[in-house]
Amino acid sequence: MERIRRTFEELERKGEKPLIVYATACDPNCEKSLDVFKLILEFADMVEVGMPFSDPLADGPTIQKAHERALSSGANTCRVLELVSKLRSFTEKPIVLMGYYNPIFVYGEERFIRDAKSAGADGFIVPDLPPEEGMDFSRKVKSLKLSPVFLAAPTSTDDRLELIGEATGEFIYYVSVTGITGEREELAYAEIERDIERVKKVTGKRTVVGFGISKPEHIKQMYNSPDGFVVGSAVVKRIESWNLPELKELLSSLKAATKS
Amino acid sequence: MYRYPDSRGKYGEFGGKYVPETLMAALSELEESYLKIKNDPEFREEFEELLKNYVGRPTPLQFAKGFSEYLGNGIKVYLKREDLNHTGAHKINNALGQALLAKRMGKKRIIAETGAGQHGVATATACAFLGLECVVYMGEEDVRRQALNVFRMELLGARVEVVKSGSRTLKDAVNEAIRDWVTNVRTTHYIIGSVVGPHPYPMIVRDFQSVIGEETKHQILEAEGRYPDMIVACVGGGSNAMGIFYPFVEDEDVELVGVEAGGYGLDTDKHAATLCKGRVGVFHGAKSYLLQNEDGQVTPTHSVSAGLDYPGVGPEHSLLKEIGRAKYDAVTDDEALEAFQILSRTEGIIPALESSHAVAWVIKNRENLKGKLIIVNLSGRGDKDVAQVKEILEEKKELRLW
């Protein structure tokens, strides 16, 4: 929680917004994944470490394939937590675990949150755990001074936003499109900005935007309202093709766009 | 008093709504619309008229004389002939009900998943009849196993999307349908084919399928003057079983038996017996039993019958298991294939491979069923399976009864 808040505040002072980068843990395997995250952390202000799952139903083809690669390389919850603790040994930037609920449920909510905290995680995004099912999880996470991150969507009514605001910790993750993860050519910038203002007004929480963001122009086009920008599939695609120089270039241009 | 689901969509600890936020508003809208039309006389009348004149209900409850004689031991079996429905299985009851509901909700685009193709065909049929656009997701492996059903759906004007992710079977078709729904939720209604998925789906599908059990109650009273000792139905996701079980849930003297797909056997990892061998998990929007590894990854399943080849199961079945109201068992591929042939020969009815599992359970357990009055839910007909069974029996001649 502390690391997340500090990151937002420090960047605000510098007139920047956080670049939040997602990659699937152990893609293509746990060893190489460590190098990928090291590279990502040179540019990103916060990372989302994706926990591989056999049925990632909120994800498009790019991230689905990353989950498959990770699982076939032998990834599991313990190895994901190991990766987090390796990352924590050289960075003070916030690390948020993003994973579907079943592996967490099977590991045991409390044990999972505790082990993730000792590994060095700061928060959790569970895309298939809406507030109705996630209030317990939210309380448990908050009681360990970590941050549950709940999602808001274009279809969320104000009533639902209140519930989401209550459940979430340091910030809300606004899903920019009705849809799954994946790169988009264009985004509905005006609508997204309007909606994010609505989310912030109803919840009083910081709100970052994700889904579909893949280039600096996307960030520049809707710079004002969001409190941060999440990039996932565009990064994962460069991991898939194992083009690290291109990944570096992309990250550097994305980070530059968050400094306008 | 058995009153499930509760206001949060739970069946005891099972069920619920474990879906991305984008779908939450749509689920509420669906629940609201459904509760509104559920007791609307106009809707009931329209639905019942269609069940009668379009689907062909009520379906017969037939005394299976030849099969009962084959079993011996004083066992008396009645078959609930869902195979005689339009499109050849119970799936049309739910597909038609939900398509009517979607129309009332102003949704013009319908999506569905299918395993064996029965639910896909039923949905494509309902959409053709009601003038709705229809897209059916089907795993590549199932498209291969059930090529004729793919053509049927196309003939009915539906688009079949071949799913090439994951294990390329029913579970991946559900994943892909959910992804479509997340994307097109404002214009689209997702007709789930079984009593699975997030609330309110397990309730809606159960309610639309309950016509099976309601009819059975009247029919068995008329034929025998009493309720049966036992009702046997196959369970994949569990919609035909839930449909026939539900009206009998409070009649505690009626034993309820769900038969899962034992594949190569429960001591192998090639089966789809979720309630027999799974552990509680969260999958496709609900908490229920699930076939998964120790790390919570969903494991591949196997069944000779595409319609049962699914690692999850409806949350209400998990509850019925937990409270001991129903019992769940499994039969193997080979036992189902034998039953497929036996019912064909003793009754002149070729059952679906799914339904053959229920038939097989009775055959297998006949020693312990002395003098019982048993109803088997014959959920579908086997025409779709004939080519596949031919292939298998040509290869494994020892399974042939001739």
Side-chain angles (χ1 to χ4, degrees), chain B residues 72-207:
Chain B
N73 212 8
I75 301 168
K76 209 166 175 188
V77 174
Y78 280 80
L79 301 171
K80 181 58 176 164
R81 298 289 308 276
E82 290 300 299
D83 60 313
L84 293 177
N85 281 321
H86 180 37
T87 72
H90 70 292
K91 293 288 184 190
I92 189 76
N93 303 328
N94 167 57
L96 197 58
Q98 282 201 53
L100 276 177
L101 174 59
K103 225 176 161 178
R104 293 268 176 129
M105 290 168 67
K107 310 256 175 176
K108 296 193 165 56
R109 181 172 177 270
I110 299 293
I111 56 171
E113 83 294 338
T114 198
Q118 288 307 100
H119 174 57
V121 168
T123 305
T125 299
C127 289
F129 183 72
L130 296 170
L132 296 163
E133 182 190 344
C134 180
V135 178
V136 180
Y137 288 91
M138 189 168 183
E140 194 178 34
E141 174 67 14
D142 293 334
V143 165
R144 190 187 59 75
R145 286 195 276 196
Q146 300 285 348
L148 210 52
N149 268 342
V150 174
F151 182 70
R152 263 187 202 114
M153 288 182 265
E154 287 170 348
L155 202 58
L156 292 158
R159 201 173 82 230
V160 178
E161 290 283 347
V162 181
V163 177
K164 295 180 178 168
S165 57
S167 63
R168 303 168 186 218
T169 60
L170 181 54
K171 91 172 168 76
D172 309 282
V174 175
N175 288 345
E176 217 49 57
I178 292 176
R179 288 180 186 123
D180 179 316
W181 200 35
V182 171
T183 308
N184 301 298
V185 61
R186 289 188 174 105
T187 58
T188 298
H189 176 65
Y190 175 20
I191 301 189
I192 290 186
S194 192
V195 286
V196 299
H199 179 67
Y201 278 109
M203 170 180 77
I204 293 179
V205 178
R206 173 196 74 193
D207 289 356

Side-chain angles (χ1 to χ4, degrees), chain B residues 1-14 38 199 202-204 206-207 242 246 249-250 315-317 319-320 322-323 325:
Chain B
M1 284 270 272
Y2 180 93
R3 290 288 173 277
Y4 296 100
D6 66 18
S7 60
R8 296 167 57 222
K10 303 269 181 181
Y11 302 81
E13 66 165 306
F14 305 108
K38 187 182 170 189
H199 179 67
M203 170 180 77
I204 293 179
R206 173 196 74 193
D207 289 356
M242 213 54 241
Y246 185 60
V249 163
E250 289 183 329
E316 195 162 6
H317 284 295
L319 173 71
L320 292 176
E322 208 77 349
I323 62 176
R325 179 61 193 93

Side-chain angles (χ1 to χ4, degrees), chain B residues 229-242:
Chain B
D229 299 309
M230 182 182 273
I231 297 175
V232 186
C234 66
V235 176
S239 70
N240 88 80
M242 213 54 241

Side-chain angles (χ1 to χ4, degrees), chain A residues 52-60 64 68 71 75-78 101-107 127-133 151-157 160-161 164 175 177-180 184, chain B residues 8 10 13 15-25 28 165-166 171-172 175-176 178-180 182-186 279-285 287 290 292-299:
Chain A
F53 184 49
S54 52
D55 297 81
L57 52 74
D59 284 300
Q64 284 173 41
E68 280 175 27
L71 287 174
N76 59 35
T77 307
C78 293
Y101 184 59
N102 193 52
I104 297 173
F105 173 74
V106 167
Y107 194 92
D128 55 351
L129 195 69
E132 278 83 345
E133 306 294 350
L151 289 85
T155 51
S156 304
T157 56
R160 297 202 49 75
L161 289 179
I164 291 163
V175 176
V177 291
T178 55
I180 51 179
R184 267 82 170 171
Chain B
R8 296 167 57 222
K10 303 269 181 181
E13 66 165 306
K17 297 180 185 184
Y18 295 84
V19 294
E21 172 60 25
T22 308
L23 295 179
M24 289 301 283
S28 302
S165 57
K171 91 172 168 76
D172 309 282
N175 288 345
E176 217 49 57
I178 292 176
R179 288 180 186 123
D180 179 316
V182 171
T183 308
N184 301 298
V185 61
R186 289 188 174 105
R279 283 176 304 131
V280 178
V282 172
F283 184 56
H284 287 159
K287 188 178 283 183
L290 177 64
Q292 53 182 328
N293 69 14
E294 66 291 340
D295 205 43
Q297 307 295 341
V298 181
T299 46

Side-chain angles (χ1 to χ4, degrees), chain B residues 219-253:
Chain B
Q219 290 167 322
I220 195 68
L221 278 183
E222 206 162 290
E224 292 285 336
R226 68 173 182 105
Y227 286 160
D229 299 309
M230 182 182 273
I231 297 175
V232 186
C234 66
V235 176
S239 70
N240 88 80
M242 213 54 241
I244 196 164
F245 287 178
Y246 185 60
F248 287 95
V249 163
E250 289 183 329
D251 303 302
E252 302 260 349
D253 292 341

Side-chain angles (χ1 to χ4, degrees), chain A residues 122-141:
Chain A
D122 302 290
F124 305 93
I125 305 172
V126 188
D128 55 351
L129 195 69
E132 278 83 345
E133 306 294 350
M135 276 304 178
D136 253 12
F137 181 73
S138 163
R139 266 192 294 274
K140 288 173 193 162
V141 172

